Amino acid sequence: QVAPSHHAAPLHPADAPLREWLSKEVPEPILEPDLPIVDPHHHLWDYSAIPALSPDDLDHHIPKRMDFFAQKVYLADEALEDFAGRQADRHNVVATIFAQCGSFYDKAAPEHMQPVGEVRRVREMAAEVAADGGCASSSLCSVRLAHGIMGTCDLALPREKLGEALDAMLRFPGFRGVGFFP
């Protein structure tokens, strides 16, 4: 069996250059199609307000800033299509672990609490998928999206503010810890 491009999901219009670039990807063989896999690190985001890159930009080193992400929107629908779409053509991803990526921050919250918004929104997306078939088919819903969540917060904060942020994140099912990326 061969897996098609990892990014076959319908993309946001701002992602058209990326779709064109990814269409050149060579499919990879699926070596053990029945092996259950937990994807230990994936992201969900919506940076659609940031201008899209041209295909030429994608062939060069892209700086590690959020405003340079080539794919502007990658939410539950896109992730589920990548993990479980056309099930016969995919690896057997059964669950995923979300890793923070600076999206969905609660800009109305105090600065030290803003990353809690990301954990909240990812948990909401995962709950929607788990609850109702918030996806196109039962095979897509078989993936436990964001079964675990790694958030972030500034570990250099004063103890009281750090504790407040961590306590808030700990209230969300699936939250497992933080990574700090200054």
Side-chain angles (χ1 to χ4, degrees):
Q1 291 182 335
V2 174
S5 166
H6 292 292
H7 299 279
L11 299 175
H12 187 276
D15 294 332
L18 180 64
R19 178 190 288 254
E20 179 184 335
W21 182 73
L22 287 171
S23 70
K24 301 172 189 172
E25 187 176 53
V26 176
E28 66 179 31
I30 298 176
L31 301 177
E32 297 186 54
D34 297 324
L35 179 68
I37 297 170
V38 175
D39 184 320
H41 183 125
H42 80 88
H43 306 287
L44 300 169
W45 65 83
D46 184 348
Y47 297 121
S48 57
I50 300 167
L53 297 172
S54 73
D56 291 337
D57 294 329
L58 298 172
D59 291 328
H60 303 289
H61 172 72
I62 298 174
K64 293 181 179 181
R65 289 182 39 203
M66 300 306 174
D67 57 339
F68 286 95
F69 273 26
Q71 187 166 358
K72 298 299 179 184
V73 178
Y74 192 79
L75 301 174
D77 288 343
E78 288 85 1
L80 289 169
E81 179 65 26
D82 279 350
F83 294 133
R86 294 181 306 282
Q87 191 67 32
D89 296 334
R90 300 293 175 149
H91 298 281
N92 185 20
V93 177
V94 297
T96 71
I97 308 299
F98 171 84
Q100 65 78 30
C101 64
S103 192
F104 313 116
Y105 277 25
D106 183 352
K107 299 298 183 188
E111 187 173 357
H112 70 286
M113 296 295 289
Q114 289 181 5
V116 177
E118 182 171 49
V119 174
R120 178 186 308 110
R121 182 64 191 116
V122 169
R123 175 49 41 213
E124 290 169 354
M125 283 189 268
E128 290 166 8
V129 168
D132 69 335
C135 35
S137 73
S138 61
S139 68
L140 294 181
C141 294
S142 66
V143 176
R144 294 184 314 265
L145 185 69
H147 187 65
I149 298 174
M150 182 184 75
T152 192
C153 61
D154 184 349
L155 298 177
L157 287 168
R159 179 178 280 187
E160 182 178 296
K161 288 184 176 186
L162 177 61
E164 182 182 8
L166 290 173
D167 286 345
M169 291 181 201
L170 282 165
R171 291 185 188 106
F172 295 98
F175 177 75
R176 298 290 184 250
V178 297
F180 175 51
F181 306 96

